Amino acid sequence: MKLTLTALTALSIFAALVSMAHGQQSGESMGRGRGRGRGRGRGHGHGSGETTTMSPYSCFTRDDGTCDDDGENTCPCPTGFYRCAGRCYTAVTEALFYDAAAERCASLGAHLATPRSAEENNCTAIPALTLPNVFWIGFRGNSSEGAYLGEDGCGPVGNFSSWPSGVEPNPVDNWCVHFGIVLHEIIWAELQCDRGLFLAVCQLDGCYRPDCL
Ligand SMILES: *[C@@H]1O[C@H](CO)[C@@H](O)[C@H](O)[C@H]1NC(C)=O
Ligand SMILES: *[C@@H]1O[C@H](CO)[C@@H](O)[C@H](O)[C@H]1NC(C)=O
Ligand SMILES: *[C@@H]1O[C@H](CO)[C@@H](O)[C@H](O)[C@H]1NC(C)=O
């Protein structure tokens, strides 16, 4: 990623600083011997549970019938949600810690958004186009799994991720993933779940209609 500080907005600088801060922290962690190498082995390796082998596309492709054509809209989402790439999303526009943001999504029958593809990542970032800010998404670090696990129950961050190039994530307990848009790129970053007061994006489990773009 080519960053020129002069071109960044204040918020983008914030997002970039957050990811740099954690870059440093990762270095410390590795110094203490609980770093990246071990994490990666546990997260993507040999059978530490079905979560690690499950395809991100194998779950939450559920059409529960609540979003059928209502006569006016062939692809409705519940009020306040927007449709994108088959799913229904909504933004939490209040700055909250991760757990509170997750509860807010749960109160809407949703969970924090878990982009599993570039397309879903773009869908998740739509609120950031009009609310230039930083948003929690639904991936929480888990030291024993050595991975960021999705709030969708589909296991760790898999083939798709959106970390800035050169940044190795360090998924440990109580660290969570957020994103910002930096120079038109969606950049994921890590922070302690109870340190960042960020907006958030929620995603519905039901209402999945692949024909609804
Ligand atoms: C990664 O992608 C490959 C090919 O697209 C797919 O076969 C595999 O199941 C994916 N891995 C995970 C963990 O989803
Ligand atoms: C995501 O958005 C970017 C920027 O608009 C675009 O270049 C890219 O093709 C999009 N990716 C997908 C999979 O839609
Ligand atoms: C980590 O994931 C395992 C399941 O793989 C779960 O049992 C455990 O509670 C998680 N740890 C934390 C701190 O969330």
Side-chain angles (χ1 to χ4, degrees):
M1 191 177 57
K2 289 159 245 111
L3 286 182
T4 55
L5 274 180
T6 49
L8 293 171
T9 66
L11 284 165
S12 300
I13 289 171
F14 176 66
L17 288 177
V18 163
S19 72
M20 278 183 237
H22 194 48
Q24 281 169 7
Q25 170 119 359
S26 304
E28 285 168 23
S29 300
M30 291 175 106
R32 294 200 302 272
R34 52 157 195 158
R36 182 72 205 155
R38 174 176 166 262
R40 181 159 268 174
R42 294 290 294 271
H44 299 281
H46 33 271
S48 52
E50 67 267 29
T51 54
T52 53
T53 53
M54 185 182 291
S55 163
Y57 303 105
S58 69
C59 62
F60 296 122
T61 52
R62 184 161 60 90
D63 175 7
D64 58 3
T66 56
C67 293
D68 286 345
D69 186 340
D70 63 3
E72 286 180 15
N73 185 342
T74 51
C75 291
C77 283
T79 305
F81 285 77
Y82 61 92
R83 176 71 72 175
C84 186
R87 299 189 186 281
C88 296
Y89 299 88
T90 193
V92 173
T93 57
E94 186 182 339
L96 298 169
F97 293 123
Y98 184 95
D99 285 340
E103 280 169 25
R104 190 65 64 85
C105 291
S107 75
L108 302 171
H111 58 72
L112 283 165
T114 47
R116 299 287 188 173
S117 66
E119 191 179 27
E120 292 186 354
N121 206 38
N122 281 2
C123 291
T124 299
I126 285 174
L129 302 177
T130 50
L131 298 166
N133 214 309
V134 178
F135 294 76
W136 291 118
I137 51 174
F139 296 110
R140 175 189 279 277
N142 182 303
S143 297
S144 59
E145 290 282 331
Y148 278 104
L149 301 183
E151 300 284 350
D152 54 3
C154 298
V157 170
N159 286 346
F160 175 79
S161 67
S162 197
W163 307 111
S165 58
V167 170
E168 287 289 310
N170 184 33
V172 292
D173 292 342
N174 200 37
W175 280 71
C176 293
V177 180
H178 61 285
F179 76 88
I181 296 183
V182 182
L183 296 180
H184 305 290
E185 269 189 84
I186 302 165
I187 300 296
W188 291 6
E190 322 165 274
L191 188 68
Q192 285 101 321
C193 312
D194 56 359
R195 289 281 175 85
L197 284 168
F198 300 149
L199 313 190
V201 183
C202 313
Q203 167 185 326
L204 276 185
D205 285 347
C207 283
Y208 180 69
R209 295 264 310 275
D211 54 313
C212 290
L213 303 176

